[in-house]
Amino acid sequence: MTRMFVDAWDPAYGSSFEGGGGDGPAAPSSAQVDTDVEVPAAQWAPIDVPAGLRCPDVVLLVDGVRRNDAGLWTAEDDGQSYAGLAASYAAGVVRCDLRRGVAELAGARVGRGLFTASPTAGDVVAGSIRYEIHRVSGTGEASKLPAAVQGPLTALEIEVSAAARDHPSDGADLLVVDGPLRNRRQLPRTIGYVKTQQRQYLPAALTPVVTGLRAGQRTPVFQLGTVWGGWSWYLRLPGATGAPWAGVVRVECSPDLAPEQAIQLAELSGVTLPRFASAAYKDPRAPQNLVPIAGLERRLRGLLGDARVLHRALTLATARAR
């Protein structure tokens, strides 16, 4: 008889894994994978946290949010028209001092941008807010403009991460980036935290190791041969339902590290991330949406300002310009 499970995530957020039938991510990845990094593939089994391993004294969690404030169109002198997107975005860092049991906002920054392929468009000033021009390449179709926001947002995340590490006591900290590392892999002592599984990276023979993980256990480290590359492993958080992939996250670190350094970060992730797992009554994306990240997202969205006010200000500003 087929077993069925209800995904703990609120359906408004999609699914904790993108697959079919509740069996995990269905889309296979074309990336080359080396599964013999930590142990040979034939010896793969769930790995417990080493006895006596302690969390770092300080854990920094960084995340960013973005919002589309308005869609625009330009009217060029030559009769052409280009789509534009006015967007707001923000990045911040939560600093968790585990010695004192204190979590605080270590820094946050807000950016605004006008994204378009128009060769003549400039900054748009809407009241007291300036949307800086970000000229995109190609034809600049409207459907592709939201993706252009990711670059400036990532740059903002790197800025706030570096600033948060100016604190003198953070020499043995751990930085957790919400999402894949991508071009943030140069940050030291950093792991990427991927809470939604969309691709099947491991061969089918090793999938039972992932689905057999207990809370706090991880898989051995493997190497991804994707564009961004990197070392990676799966970890199951506590508080998940009994579904095969429930509470499973993928963690990654820089490909520039030696295998031994990647394994050390994998061990640290196993003793650190589970303590921040959320509960279903607190968060519709529990347990993957870590508690400090959820609070940071709410704070950052507040910093973006009222979307209705900004939309009206943009409407008035463009009308005056005409």
Side-chain angles (χ1 to χ4, degrees), residues 41-105:
Q43 299 176 19
W44 264 47
I47 298 176
D48 291 303
V49 174
L53 183 65
R54 295 178 60 251
C55 288
D57 290 334
V58 173
V59 180
L60 301 162
L61 298 101
V62 59
D63 194 15
V65 299
R66 56 186 178 180
R67 186 186 66 206
N68 299 339
D69 292 339
L72 301 91
W73 289 92
T74 70
E76 308 293 323
D77 291 338
D78 61 2
Q80 287 211 58
S81 182
Y82 294 90
L85 174 66
S88 296
Y89 47 94
V93 179
V94 177
R95 183 178 186 275
C96 298
D97 189 328
L98 302 183
R99 295 164 300 182
R100 298 187 295 126
V102 174
E104 56 190 0
L105 184 66

Side-chain angles (χ1 to χ4, degrees), residues 167-184:
H167 196 286
S169 65
D170 290 351
D173 62 9
L174 177 68
L175 178 67
V176 181
V177 173
D178 189 50
L181 281 181
R182 293 196 175 99
N183 55 355
R184 293 167 289 200

Side-chain angles (χ1 to χ4, degrees), residues 131-175:
Y131 289 82
E132 295 185 16
I133 186 68
H134 290 268
R135 223 170 301 282
V136 302
S137 58
T139 57
E141 300 123 82
S143 61
K144 296 183 178 180
L145 293 179
V149 183
Q150 186 59 47
L153 175 56
T154 298
L156 212 58
E157 291 179 357
I158 293 173
E159 289 179 21
V160 297
S161 300
R165 275 185 157 161
D166 288 339
H167 196 286
S169 65
D170 290 351
D173 62 9
L174 177 68
L175 178 67

Side-chain angles (χ1 to χ4, degrees), residues 72-73 114 124-126 311-322:
L72 301 91
W73 289 92
L114 171 61
V124 172
V125 178
H311 190 279
R312 179 170 174 77
L314 282 163
T315 301
L316 294 173
T318 53
R320 282 196 298 267
R322 291 196 301 271

